[in-house]
Each structure stands twice: as structure tokens, then as C-alpha cells.
Amino acid sequence: MQESDRSEPRCYLYRFGSAEFDEAKVELRVAGLRVDVENRALGVLAWLLRHADEVVTKEELLREVWAGRVTVDKVLPNAIAKLRRALGESNAERLVTQARVGYRLVGPVSRTAVGSRIVSHLELAAGDAVPGRDHFVLRRQLGARRDGEVWLAEQPRTRALRVYKFAGGGEPLRALKREATLLRVLHESAGNDAGFVEIVDWNFEQPPFFLECGYGGDNLLDWSREHLAALTTHERIALFLQITDAVAAAHAVGVLHKDLKPANVLVAPEGEGWHVRLTDFGSGRLLDPARLDDLGITRLGLTVTQSIVTDSNSGTPLYVAPEVFSGQSPTAQSDVFALGIMLYQLLAGDLARPMTSGWERDIDDALLREDIGAATDGDPRRRLAGAAELAARLRSLDARRAAAREAQVHEDQALRERIALSRSRARRPYLIALVVVLLGGLLAALLLYRSALDARNDAQRQLQRATAINRFLNEDLIGRSNPLVLAKGQNASLRDVLLAARERIGKRFASQPQTEASIRGSLAVLFNMIELLPEAEEEAHRALDLHLREEGETALDTLRARTLLARLLTRTSKFDESKTQIDALARAVGDSQDPQRIYLLSSARATFAMNQGDYTAALPAYEQAIAALRKDEPDNTDMLDSLRMDYIGVLTQTGKLEDARREGEALIAQIEAREDDNGLVAAFARAAVARTYTLGGDPDKAEAQLLEAQKTIVRLLGEQHTRNLMILSDLYSVSMQRRDWPKAIDYGRRVHDGLRAKFGDDHNFTNISLANLAQAYYENGQTQDAVKGLQQAHEKLVAQLTDANPQTQATAFWLAAALIDTQAADAASTLVNGLDAKALESVQTDGLWPLRLDLLRGLILAQRGDASHAAPLLRKGADGLSGHDPADTRLIEQAKTALGKRD
């Protein structure tokens, strides 16, 4: 049968009582609210509605809804029970059980045709598992074309939604590959928040081939039927600006969409507004194919020829620019033409309306008519040059209207003056009296004017601030993210963009110091994220200085800036400076019970203690910070996640393994339940939980979780990111547990080299990793390498953290052990005399440090020839440590050797 001959069954919107069921969307609403019901129960409802007031047998329902494949007892009664609960008491009364026969839906039912049911030609069905992705279930088909289908799927446990685009092969498969490639370019270059649908995964190996994307909401055309009428003109323009900004971001990195239309714009609720994402880049084009090589992206679906010259006739006719119809290659201005059509449709209130002659009558605002005309000019030479220009015009509407009003005022004034001049002689006798009256009124008006002027000036300041921020974002960040603007060609990076924007902040916000402080604080956070630590610290200092000058010591903005600076100083091992900032923070917070102030102070103290390795002090500080943040900002999930992962690490280090594991599993479940989860934060949490298994003596389970988490971290952040170095450090610990010293040395060296490259020789992270590597050398019998590394690390840590710090103490312990192995008993004794078991417990809480210290003292005595005093210490230490921590293996061997010589 030809595709054109295939008949597709009609879909209806059914209404009964206070309920309505949309067959096309497979959606049940009760009293206007969407109700979540499992797919099989909705299938039962659909069949009963199609046969309203008829008895439908159980056998018929099982055959039609379950296709005869029933694997669970009472599956039909269970579905009916769920359906009745979902319908509510009054509607459920209409679902009648016919004893031993079946069911009947009684009472009046109305139906309205809402389109045709899409037929799957790839043999996919709602309720089935996604092929190759068994944890997701197909819910409803969103679209279809020859050899290609789009489906909405759901993860039943977390309710997470995904969109799967399937293809059987041929051109649909090439389009999927092309879309995957272009979406990767966009996310790598423009960022994940630039307004593009998220790409999650793909299968191009075996049919049915698919592209897995995040769910971005309803398409703009469907969304508009329910929501557009309620939006004001201002709100419609704000929505459209999200579309325009996304297109501008794509153009800035050399990607043309080529099929812009309402069906390829997704809208989802966000807070009290709407969030827009672009989708369907299957017809898109990359202007600079070499960019793929720079980003390390495979040319899926893009040959060199296809990248440069593609089908000029792709796209939907209503939105295709005239020059493309005539055979010219698409350009950025072709996308602008489509944007202009959509702007007209949004403002006219009909996303299906074609833009024909006389369209101007639908748009009341003369400036908006001007903008639409400039975007849709039939001559591309006269059309707006790009999406960014269209966005700039729309954002300046208020200023343009004010300028137009001012010009009109001047014109009216000039006209009045000309008329007044011609009549002045006739009115001159009355002029003096009139002036006297006016002066009296003027004095009264001036008082009112002063009050109005103050309000106007405040509004102008807010407008100027918003305008300055908007220009900074569009010109200094978004505009300059274009590699050509930065004069770095295709090698321009986020680092280049931020550094270039940084130089312009002072000039841009010279008259707005509070805005400058806020921008500099945000820039410090960004620099920290991409590990430009000196730049982050400098911007944090500048932000704090500005807030102090403008708002004072105790203002919340000042406290936030000081907390940020303290954390950054801690990260760069400037502990004395960080302590100074934390002390100033404590003085400013005082005895305040404000949860935000408590959170700022306790989080700074927690980070300080953790980075110094003082986990005992860090634990209560993290608990206080998390409790305060939950009270003050319960929806700040990003910061809560970060604090909780640190907290899990501290629980682990203090020996509270079950508590750490329980907290970690709860965090993972909460993260995976979120619709915007891309797997990265969950991977961080899994790595944190894996450490509990390492210290709990289950290295196999720890390694499996770490390697699984590492896949996501490397895929999204790269091998050199600090998070991957943390994974390698954990794998080092797993190897130490297994007594696989060569592998531990390999992991330890990779971690040390990576941290040294990032932070330099003097950072405490670098030197703690050097001590770990040297400990593996010691366990492997490479004593000279161990002594060299431990001496260097110990010297640096004493300078950075003091000799009383737990991390310094642990390094001194293993240095003493290695020195004993080289017969340097006196040097080892000096170190051991400075060790404190309580401080060492902060690094590893197992209660065994007194035994380890006794064992070292016994070895020193044995080397000095005092065998009678050495023996009981050696026996006690060796017996007490056996069977616990594999890292004690070499110590125990040394003790047994010394005892053997005596015996």
C-alpha cells in the first residue's frame, strides 16, 4: 500500500461529568487539572468511551488493551480501580461493573474530533519499553513521517520524560545524525542554557535508530491554543525574545537552523513563566565544518559537502525566505525571515495564520510593524542582518517609544508656538495678569513635581541598571562569544570570552558600583568553575571592596561576597587570608538568627575545615549550613547538592559510613527524579557513596560504582577536570585496599600530575596527592622514592597547614615509617614525638592510631638495640593491626622482621 493510501483513525476529545480525555495526547483531565494515570488504565478508559453505554466484556478489554498478553493476576480490576481513583468520586460512579461480564460507562458523553491518530510504521506502541532503553516506556506518539517517528517516553519510577526520534534508515537516519552533531556543537560552544533541546544519547548502530533528547515541553503551535490568548503583548515579546536569543546563539557559533517554525519551538513552564527551547536541527547547516575537529566531534550525518552546501529547499514553505525559494543558499537572514513570520503570528494571536498582504492591520504598534517588516523584507539586502539585531530592536522598544513621544512633543510644541506667535498681539493686555496667576500655581506644582521627580529618577536608575546589564550580556558576553569578534578565529573559548568581558566591566558599570559588584561576584564563580583561580580570587576581592564601600560591613551582599572570597582563598591554600575573612564574617553575623547569615558563616567554616583535612571540625559546620539553607532557600538545589556531597565525604572520613551511604543514596534518588537531570550531579553523588564502600572494605563494589560514575564525568567534563582526578584518587584508594601497589602507584602518579598541572607545586591538594603516591611507593618497597616524596610533601604541608594539621600529621607518620626502613631511627623519632593520635583520627577514624604509633616506637627502639622494650610494643601493634587496613601491611612486615631478628 502506498503511504498516501494509508487511512489513519480519527482521534476525539471526550467529555463526561467533570472529566475529559484527549485521545491524541493520551491525557486525562479532571476539573481542568491533568491527572497522571498509567497507560493501560487510560487504554481501558478509551475503549469504554468509544463504546459508551455499552457493556464491554473483560475478554474484549484484555484483547484490545493488553493484546491478550496478561502476565499479572487481576490486571484488569487493578486498572479499573486506578481509573476510578483518578476520575474522582462523582465521575467514578459512572464506571459500572457488570457482574461476571465486564464494565460499562453510563451517562452522556460528548466528543469532539481533534485530529487523526498517528499510525506507527515502525511497529512501536504506547506502553512498550523503548527499544534498547528498557527503563523508559513509550507514552504517546508525537509525530511521524516516512520511515521516521517521534515519541514521548517516561521513566515510570522517577516520572522523568524523554523524547525519542526514531528512524528506520536512509535520509531520516542521516537527519538524526545531522541533528545530533549540530546539537553537540551548540551545547559545546554556546552552553547548556542557551535555549536548545538537551541531547541525552543516541543509537545509530542498529534499528530502530534513535536520538534521545530531554523533554522540552509542548511545541509552540499546540501550546498557543491553550495559553497564548492569556498573554499580554509584552509577555508575547518576552517569549519571542527567548526564541530569538537561541537563534542568535546558534548563528554566533556558525549553525543555521533552516526550518524555524512553531512546531520546532518547545515551551515548558518555569516558575511563574515559560522557558523556550529550539529543537529539530535535522535540516540544519554548519557554516564552518572545521569547528567539528576543534571540538572533537565526529561528523555524524555531515559530509564535507553537506556541511557547506545543503539542500536550499529544506524548510516549511510558510517560513522559507524568498531567496531560498529562488535557489540561493540559506543564510542567517533566511532564519531571520522565519523569525519575522513567527513574531507576526505571536502578536496576531494565531500561530497558523499566514502572513499575507494587509498583515499590518493585525498589529497596532507602529514600531512592531516596523520590526516585522524589517525582518521579513523580501530583499535580503534590506532585511535585518541577524537574529541579534532583531532582539536588540525589541529590547529597545520602550526607549524607542519614549524617543518617538519626545519627538512628537517637540513637534507639537513647535506648532503651538507658531500659533501662539500669530495671536500674541491680541492677547498682550492680559499677559501680565496671567503670569501672576501662573506663578502662584507653579510654586504649588513644584512641590508635587519634586516628589514625582524622585520616583522617576529611581525608575530611571533601575532602567539604566537593567539596560547596562542587558548590554553587557549581549555585547560583552554573547556578542563577543563570536570567534570572529574575539579575533581568535575558531579557537575562541569560554575562557577567552570571560577574560575579554572582564576587561570591560569597569567601564560598562562605572556609574553603577552595586551592579558592578554583582557582576564581578558572578564572574568570580564562573572563573572558579573553569578553574581560573587567580582570576576568580581577584574578581571576588573587587566585588567585596565594592559592596563594602556601597553597602557596609553587615549588608547581605557584603556577607555573600566575603563568603565567596573565603572559599576561594581556602581552595588556593591561602588559609591565613581565608581565616581573616571568616573572622570578619563572624563579627558581622554576630548573634543573628537569620538563616541566610547562619548559612553563609557555617558554610565558610565547613569548607575551611574540610580543605585543611580537619573533618571532625567540618562535620557540625556542614550540618548547620545544610539546615540553615534548607530553611532559607529550600529550592536552591544546586547549592544544597554541593553541600550534601561535601557532607557525605566528611561523614565518610569520620567513620560514619552507614550515615554517609544513607545520605548519598537519598541524594541520588532525589537528583534522578528531577526532569533536568543530565546524570552529572548523580555521578558525583555515586562517587561519594563509592568511597564508603572503599573504607568499609568492599573494594569491588566501590570500583564498579566509581568506573560507572567516571563514564559520565569524562563524557561531560573531560579527563583533565578536577572531578575526574577525584575519581582517580578514589581508584587509588581501591588499589591500596587490594594491596595492588603497582596499580596504586599508577593512579597516584596520574592524580599528582593532574593536580600539579592545575594548582602548582605549592597547593595543599598537590602535596597531599604527592604524600599518597609516596605511601604507595613505601608499600611497594620503593623506600628511597617514598622518603623523597614524603619529605617534599611534609615540608610543603608544614608551611601551608602547620605541623599540627591532621594532613601534615598523617604525612609525618608515613615519612617516619619510611625513614625507619632506611635505618634513620633518630630522624623518625623526632617526627613520632610530634604526632598526636587524636589529630590523626581526623584523617582516618578507625581507632587504630595509638597502635600504629606504638608500633613505630617499637621499631625505633629495635633499631637502637633496646629489644626488651621494643618487643611488647611490636607484638601489640602487629597483632592489633592485622586484618584491618591493608595500608598497614608494610608496617606489620617491618614489626615481624624486627621480632624475628630478636628471636
Side-chain angles (χ1 to χ4, degrees):
M1 179 183 293
Q2 297 294 321
E3 185 167 345
S4 59
D5 295 332
R6 293 172 179 151
S7 60
E8 298 182 341
R10 178 73 63 184
C11 283
Y12 294 95
L13 174 66
Y14 293 93
R15 292 186 175 89
F16 57 101
S18 63
E20 62 179 41
F21 175 66
D22 189 328
E23 274 191 313
K25 293 183 177 180
V26 195
E27 180 179 275
L28 174 65
R29 288 180 177 270
V30 176
L33 300 176
R34 186 177 183 272
V35 181
D36 290 329
V37 192
E38 69 174 30
N39 212 59
R40 298 292 191 189
L42 291 178
V44 171
L45 177 61
W47 197 253
L48 291 171
L49 285 167
R50 289 176 211 154
H51 301 83
D53 264 331
E54 299 177 14
V55 176
V56 180
T57 66
K58 298 176 183 178
E59 291 75 15
E60 184 179 357
L61 287 169
L62 292 172
R63 182 181 67 250
E64 295 298 333
V65 179
W66 280 269
R69 298 191 296 270
V70 178
T71 58
V72 181
D73 291 339
K74 298 184 178 180
V75 64
L76 180 55
N78 289 340
I80 291 291
K82 292 176 182 178
L83 194 54
R84 283 174 170 150
R85 284 197 297 271
L87 288 170
E89 186 176 350
S90 61
N91 296 318
E93 291 176 354
R94 302 179 60 177
L95 209 170
V96 178
T97 301
Q98 299 293 135
R100 295 184 297 279
V101 179
Y103 302 93
R104 181 163 64 106
L105 189 71
V106 300
V109 174
S110 66
R111 70 178 191 177
T112 305
V114 290
S116 300
R117 191 176 305 113
I118 306 170
V119 176
S120 172
H121 303 302
L122 296 177
E123 299 184 353
L124 302 171
D128 291 349
V130 174
R133 295 290 185 273
D134 293 342
H135 53 297
F136 274 92
V137 176
L138 295 172
R139 290 305 184 206
R140 61 184 171 96
Q141 191 171 353
L142 302 177
R145 54 190 172 193
R146 182 185 294 273
D147 210 18
E149 298 177 11
V150 182
W151 282 78
L152 179 66
E154 182 183 50
Q155 215 283 1
R157 182 173 63 85
T158 65
R159 311 308 294 271
L161 297 176
R162 293 282 190 274
V163 172
Y164 287 86
K165 299 183 177 184
F166 293 97
E171 178 53 32
L173 175 58
R174 285 191 290 274
L176 284 189
K177 291 181 175 180
R178 199 156 48 238
E179 180 166 16
T181 300
L182 293 179
L183 282 173
R184 291 185 65 197
V185 169
L186 291 168
H187 284 290
E188 291 284 343
S189 303
N192 292 331
D193 297 324
F196 310 109
V197 71
E198 176 193 13
I199 180 171
V200 178
D201 203 352
W202 58 81
N203 161 42
F204 298 148
E205 302 299 323
Q206 57 186 6
F209 310 104
F210 64 74
L211 180 63
E212 181 184 359
C213 298
Y215 177 65
D218 293 332
N219 71 65
L220 183 61
L221 185 59
D222 291 343
W223 172 90
S224 68
R225 296 187 180 108
E226 184 175 350
H227 301 288
L228 183 58
L231 267 59
T232 64
T233 297
H234 178 76
E235 290 169 333
R236 295 181 192 192
I237 292 172
L239 186 79
F240 179 76
L241 278 170
Q242 292 188 56
I243 304 171
T244 312
D245 288 343
V247 175
H251 288 175
V253 298
V255 174
L256 302 183
H257 190 285
K258 291 180 53 192
D259 193 16
L260 288 171
K261 58 184 178 182
N264 289 336
V265 175
L266 303 179
V267 188
E270 183 177 75
E272 296 182 357
W274 302 96
H275 185 68
V276 167
R277 294 177 181 86
L278 293 185
T279 187
D280 201 351
F281 282 81
S283 300
R285 173 183 175 190
L286 184 62
L287 297 176
D288 181 11
R291 188 170 185 82
L292 295 175
D293 300 326
D294 297 334
L295 296 172
I297 295 174
T298 306
R299 297 170 183 262
L300 296 175
L302 286 174
T303 64
V304 175
T305 302
Q306 287 172 325
S307 300
I308 301 172
V309 181
T310 56
D311 177 14
S312 63
N313 291 319
S314 63
T316 303
L318 180 60
Y319 304 92
V320 173
E323 68 273 13
V324 177
F325 266 125
S326 66
Q328 297 181 35
S329 295
T331 65
Q333 288 173 294
S334 309
D335 280 351
V336 170
F337 182 88
L339 286 173
I341 300 292
M342 283 195 286
L343 175 58
Y344 160 71
Q345 293 174 324
L346 273 170
L347 295 174
D350 184 355
L351 270 296
R353 182 180 301 185
M355 187 173 171
T356 59
S357 58
W359 64 267
E360 295 88 348
R361 291 190 293 272
D362 298 324
I363 310 298
D364 295 331
D365 191 304
L367 291 177
L368 287 172
R369 289 197 298 270
E370 180 183 314
D371 293 338
I372 294 170
T376 59
D377 197 300
D379 185 350
R381 293 171 298 181
R382 300 172 58 185
R383 194 180 304 150
L384 296 181
E389 184 179 355
L390 177 57
R393 290 173 70 114
L394 293 174
R395 285 192 168 94
S396 64
L397 273 172
D398 288 342
R400 290 161 62 199
R401 289 186 183 116
R405 285 195 298 269
E406 186 175 353
Q408 186 62 50
V409 167
H410 287 309
E411 184 177 338
D412 293 345
Q413 180 65 27
L415 178 60
R416 285 195 297 270
E417 288 175 356
R418 288 196 297 271
I419 296 172
L421 184 61
S422 66
R423 299 177 178 174
S424 62
R425 291 182 181 178
R427 297 186 302 145
R428 190 169 296 167
Y430 309 100
L431 185 58
I432 295 174
L434 179 61
V435 168
V436 172
V437 174
L438 288 176
L439 282 174
L442 180 61
L443 289 173
L446 280 174
L447 297 174
L448 297 173
Y449 173 73
R450 181 59 182 267
S451 175
L453 186 62
D454 289 342
R456 188 203 68 180
N457 289 341
D458 183 63
Q460 285 181 337
R461 282 193 295 271
Q462 295 298 326
L463 176 61
Q464 288 167 357
R465 181 180 184 185
T467 302
I469 293 174
N470 181 57
R471 290 186 62 191
F472 175 72
L473 292 173
N474 283 281
E475 297 175 18
D476 296 340
L477 282 179
I478 297 173
R480 288 180 176 265
S481 66
N482 187 329
L484 299 178
V485 175
L486 269 176
K488 288 181 175 284
Q490 57 199 15
N491 296 317
S493 64
L494 175 62
R495 178 183 185 277
D496 298 322
V497 173
L498 292 177
L499 289 173
R502 175 194 190 200
E503 300 304 319
R504 299 172 63 84
I505 293 176
K507 181 178 180 181
R508 176 74 74 188
F509 300 104
S511 61
Q512 301 172 44
Q514 287 175 284
T515 304
E516 179 183 351
S518 176
I519 293 291
R520 289 198 183 279
S522 298
L523 201 56
V525 173
L526 288 171
F527 280 138
N528 180 50
M529 289 171 61
I530 61 176
E531 299 183 335
L532 289 176
L533 299 183
E535 290 82 356
E537 183 183 326
E538 184 177 347
E539 290 305 315
H541 268 296
R542 290 180 177 179
L544 176 59
D545 291 343
L546 286 164
H547 282 306
L548 279 169
R549 190 183 74 197
E550 296 297 319
E551 301 179 71
E553 185 80 29
T554 59
L556 264 176
D557 286 338
T558 305
L559 300 182
R560 292 189 192 100
R562 199 181 288 284
T563 302
L564 173 61
L565 178 58
R567 288 175 179 167
L568 290 171
L569 290 168
T570 298
R571 190 176 182 194
T572 53
S573 293
K574 297 178 181 177
F575 293 109
D576 289 342
E577 294 180 49
S578 179
K579 182 67 164 54
T580 299
Q581 297 298 334
I582 293 173
D583 289 344
L585 189 62
R587 287 193 298 272
V589 171
D591 297 328
S592 172
Q593 296 304 304
D594 174 32
Q596 186 162 170
R597 286 172 164 79
I598 294 172
Y599 153 70
L600 291 170
L601 178 58
S602 56
S603 65
R605 285 172 169 167
T607 306
F608 182 86
M610 185 183 70
N611 278 273
Q612 283 204 316
D614 190 352
Y615 301 111
T616 303
L619 187 61
Y622 272 112
E623 289 172 344
Q624 186 179 34
I626 291 168
L629 186 59
R630 279 178 169 154
K631 185 175 181 180
D632 184 58
E633 292 185 79
D635 296 329
N636 191 347
T637 54
D638 290 343
M639 184 54 69
L640 276 171
D641 290 349
S642 178
L643 286 173
R644 290 175 70 186
M645 277 186 279
D646 286 346
Y647 178 54
I648 293 164
V650 171
L651 285 170
T652 302
Q653 291 295 336
T654 52
K656 296 177 171 58
L657 301 184
E658 287 300 323
D659 290 343
R661 202 169 294 153
R662 187 163 48 250
E663 179 75 11
E665 296 294 351
L667 177 58
I668 292 168
Q670 290 167 16
I671 292 169
E672 290 182 337
R674 298 172 193 156
E675 290 187 4
D676 59 350
D677 172 42
N678 65 357
L680 184 61
V681 181
F684 297 162
R686 282 196 182 87
V689 171
R691 292 178 201 118
T692 69
Y693 291 109
T694 303
L695 294 182
D698 192 349
D700 292 342
K701 189 164 188 176
E703 183 182 51
Q705 289 199 5
L706 288 168
L707 293 175
E708 186 64 29
Q710 187 182 40
K711 292 177 185 177
T712 302
I713 290 170
V714 170
R715 175 169 60 86
L716 295 176
L717 299 179
E719 291 188 358
Q720 301 307 312
H721 196 276
T722 304
R723 286 287 183 174
N724 187 47
L725 296 179
M726 291 170 63
I727 292 285
L728 295 176
S729 180
D730 290 330
L731 290 169
Y732 158 87
S733 299
V734 168
S735 300
M736 292 289 283
Q737 282 281 327
R738 289 173 169 165
R739 298 181 174 84
D740 189 346
W741 316 128
K743 183 172 283 189
I745 289 171
D746 177 59
Y747 280 130
R749 185 182 292 113
R750 289 164 66 186
V751 173
H752 176 61
D753 290 346
L755 292 173
R756 184 183 180 192
K758 279 186 178 296
F759 301 115
D761 288 330
D762 294 330
H763 197 283
N764 62 309
F765 288 177
T766 304
N767 290 294
I768 291 169
S769 70
L770 176 59
N772 290 338
L773 172 60
Q775 186 185 348
Y777 284 142
Y778 164 72
E779 298 291 351
N780 199 43
Q782 297 173 238
T783 307
Q784 294 302 324
D785 291 332
V787 170
K788 181 181 178 182
L790 287 163
Q791 281 179 333
Q792 181 181 331
H794 183 255
E795 180 182 338
K796 294 278 190 182
L797 290 172
V798 168
Q800 293 161 358
L801 306 176
T802 75
D803 56 3
N805 179 269
Q807 293 289 352
T808 310
Q809 292 259 308
T811 304
F813 176 91
W814 292 110
L815 175 57
L819 287 169
I820 291 170
D821 216 20
T822 63
Q823 306 301 308
D826 291 342
S829 179
T830 301
L831 289 168
V832 171
N833 289 338
L835 295 179
D836 177 12
K838 185 177 180 181
L840 290 165
E841 281 288 317
S842 295
V843 177
Q844 181 177 329
T845 308
D846 57 11
L848 299 175
W849 284 105
L851 290 172
R852 294 187 182 101
L853 290 172
D854 282 347
L855 195 151
L856 284 187
R857 293 186 182 103
L859 289 171
I860 291 168
L861 289 170
Q863 281 195 10
R864 288 173 171 171
D866 189 352
S868 61
H869 289 94
L873 292 173
L874 293 172
R875 287 196 182 94
K876 180 182 177 183
D879 293 344
L881 293 176
S882 294
H884 291 286
D885 189 346
D888 295 326
T889 301
R890 181 83 173 136
L891 279 176
I892 296 169
E893 289 174 355
Q894 286 178 277
K896 290 180 177 178
T897 301
L899 287 169
K901 288 179 180 179
R902 177 182 181 279
D903 295 339

